[in-house]
């Protein structure tokens, strides 16, 4: 019998299409042989083309899910994705204060690939005040990095560093800015701000529209690696390799943005 499997708590939304959110997190962690426990914040009715409906889980039930797994499991890392509104954030913020010394990895999910709000614009300031300061690592894409930092443009590495410094001042310890949305580059480059230095992670860019769930998969893979005890830089490097392979072998299922292949 085995009792030392690393455990990650994923606090995120459910994607009925299976490509992103809690489904992507569980698939990623399973593939990595990490045990996933979950707290679902919202249920989305969506496919590869669009989101038909979002219904939030009652904030009390979000809290109960987190407390239930916290009291019974030795959680080694927490991954936070879709939080949607202030009420859910308030509960999550309260609960993660109880998870002392556990690295909190926050993917600041704001807008879906289909253009729908996954974080209400009215809740962004609250997110900056309550959630960002609790993040050991935050993983914004370019759009989220602009929005959270209040910067107008991010064009070069100097802008990336300035943006990271701003987010660091909000309290996030480490910042990974993902370059997936820089469309006209030959490579997919992500930038990590760690101990006041910038580290670059580069991989091939694939010309595919099947990128549903890239962000969730990357942050879940980082969380899994951290739960296994890897250093941050290695955890990101390995997670990026995982995402690279999953995009390279992505699935042409559905007629919109198809999902990654978590079992390549
Ligand atoms: N076309 C691509 N080819 C290779 N790597 C990519 C591609 N698109 C994104 N990536 C990589 O996928 C990871 C996630 O980045 P991305 O910028 O897509 O996040 P995101 O916008 O948060 O994703 P999501 O829309 O799923 O929330 C990063 O490591 C990025 O470099
Ligand atoms: Mg994202």
């Amino acid at each position: 019998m085995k009792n030392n499997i690393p455990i990650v708590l994923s606090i995120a939304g459910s994607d009925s299409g299976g490509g992103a959110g809690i489904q992507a997190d569980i698939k990623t962690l399973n593939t990595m042989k990490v045990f996933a426990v979950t707290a679902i914040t919202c249920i989305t009715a969506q496919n590869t083309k669009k989101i038909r409906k979002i219904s939030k889980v009652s904030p009390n039930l979000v809290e109960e899910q987190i407390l239930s797994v916290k009291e019974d499991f030795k959680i080694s890392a927490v991954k936070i994705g879709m939080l949607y509104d202030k009420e859910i954030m308030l509960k999550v913020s309260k609960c993660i204060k109880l998870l002392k010394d556990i690295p909190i990895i926050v993917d600041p999910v704001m807008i879906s690939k289909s253009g729908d709000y996954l974080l209400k614009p009215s809740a962004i300031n609250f997110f900056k005040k309550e959630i960002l300061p609790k993040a050991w690592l935050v993983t914004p894409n370019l759009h989220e990095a602009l929005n959270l930092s209040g910067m107008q443009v991010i064009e070069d590495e100097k802008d990336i560093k300035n943006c990271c410094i701003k987010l660091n001042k909000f309290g996030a310890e480490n910042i990974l800015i993902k370059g997936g949305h820089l469309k006209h580059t030959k490579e997919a480059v992500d930038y990590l701000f760690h101990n006041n230095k910038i580290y670059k992670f580069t991989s091939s860019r694939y010309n595919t529209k099947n990128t549903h769930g890239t962000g969730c998969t990357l942050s879940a893979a980082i969380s899994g690696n951290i739960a296994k005890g890897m250093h941050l830089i290695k955890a990101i490097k390995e997670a990026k390799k995982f995402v690279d392979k999953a995009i390279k072998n992505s699935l042409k299922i559905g007629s919109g943005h198809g999902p990654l292949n978590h079992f390549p």
Side-chain angles (χ1 to χ4, degrees):
M1 248 178 305
K2 199 174 163 175
N3 66 359
N4 61 350
I5 185 165
I7 301 176
V8 167
L9 164 61
S10 167
I11 303 172
S14 163
D15 169 3
S16 57
I22 213 105
Q23 285 82 354
D25 293 351
I26 296 174
K27 284 179 218 182
T28 303
L29 294 165
N30 277 2
T31 309
M32 300 170 72
K33 297 198 168 27
V34 173
F35 192 84
V37 292
T38 59
I40 296 182
T41 55
C42 287
I43 297 181
T44 71
Q46 63 172 298
N47 52 35
T48 60
K49 292 184 293 184
K50 64 175 182 195
I51 296 185
R52 294 165 72 104
K53 194 162 171 63
I54 296 177
S55 177
K56 77 178 202 191
V57 169
S58 91
N60 283 338
L61 186 51
V62 174
E63 180 178 27
E64 291 299 328
Q65 291 175 79
I66 301 173
L67 296 179
S68 295
V69 293
K70 178 196 167 281
E71 72 179 20
D72 199 29
F73 296 97
K74 188 181 171 301
I75 295 165
S76 298
V78 177
K79 193 222 119 154
I80 300 182
M82 179 179 182
L83 290 172
Y84 195 54
D85 73 359
K86 232 165 140 171
E87 283 182 307
I88 294 180
M89 265 187 251
L90 205 57
K91 292 292 189 190
V92 169
S93 166
K94 187 176 140 201
C95 290
I96 57 178
K97 270 190 211 143
L98 306 173
L99 299 164
K100 287 196 188 73
D101 301 325
I102 301 177
I104 311 280
I105 291 110
V106 178
D107 186 16
V109 175
M110 286 187 181
I111 297 182
S112 70
K113 289 228 157 75
S114 53
D116 298 88
Y117 286 116
L118 302 176
L119 176 64
K120 287 185 175 171
S122 59
I124 292 177
N125 278 336
F126 195 76
F127 178 88
K128 286 203 235 180
K129 208 172 108 224
E130 279 298 319
I131 306 292
L132 259 193
K134 298 186 178 71
W136 176 70
L137 172 69
V138 65
T139 63
N141 63 24
L142 277 178
H143 164 265
E144 292 151 356
L146 282 170
N147 202 317
L148 293 171
S149 65
M151 285 172 65
Q152 300 300 312
V153 280
I154 295 181
E155 280 176 344
D156 52 26
E157 285 183 26
K158 207 172 116 251
D159 293 343
I160 298 251
K161 184 151 190 196
N162 283 338
C163 181
C164 289
I165 291 169
K166 280 180 194 283
L167 298 185
N168 184 247
K169 282 199 178 125
F170 283 125
E173 194 174 330
N174 300 292
I175 296 122
L176 181 70
I177 298 189
K178 299 170 292 189
H181 293 257
L182 278 170
K183 291 270 178 297
H184 304 293
T185 51
K186 272 222 298 260
E187 289 164 324
V189 189
D190 302 341
Y191 298 86
L192 171 71
F193 180 84
H194 170 60
N195 287 342
N196 215 28
K197 274 200 216 121
I198 294 282
Y199 299 81
K200 247 167 107 167
F201 301 86
T202 304
S203 60
S204 308
R205 169 175 292 282
Y206 300 104
N207 186 13
T208 172
K209 65 174 184 157
N210 303 326
T211 53
H212 188 78
T214 48
C216 303
T217 302
L218 181 74
S219 51
I222 296 171
S223 309
N225 286 334
I226 294 296
K228 285 178 173 178
M230 263 181 220
H231 182 273
L232 176 63
I233 294 174
K234 180 143 194 264
I236 295 175
K237 213 167 160 181
E238 294 298 318
K240 187 134 169 83
K241 276 193 217 159
F242 183 88
V243 172
D244 174 275
K245 215 167 161 190
I247 301 179
K248 190 174 174 191
N249 298 291
S250 63
L251 302 169
K252 216 173 152 203
I253 51 176
S255 54
H257 288 290
L260 305 194
N261 183 352
H262 294 91
F263 328 104

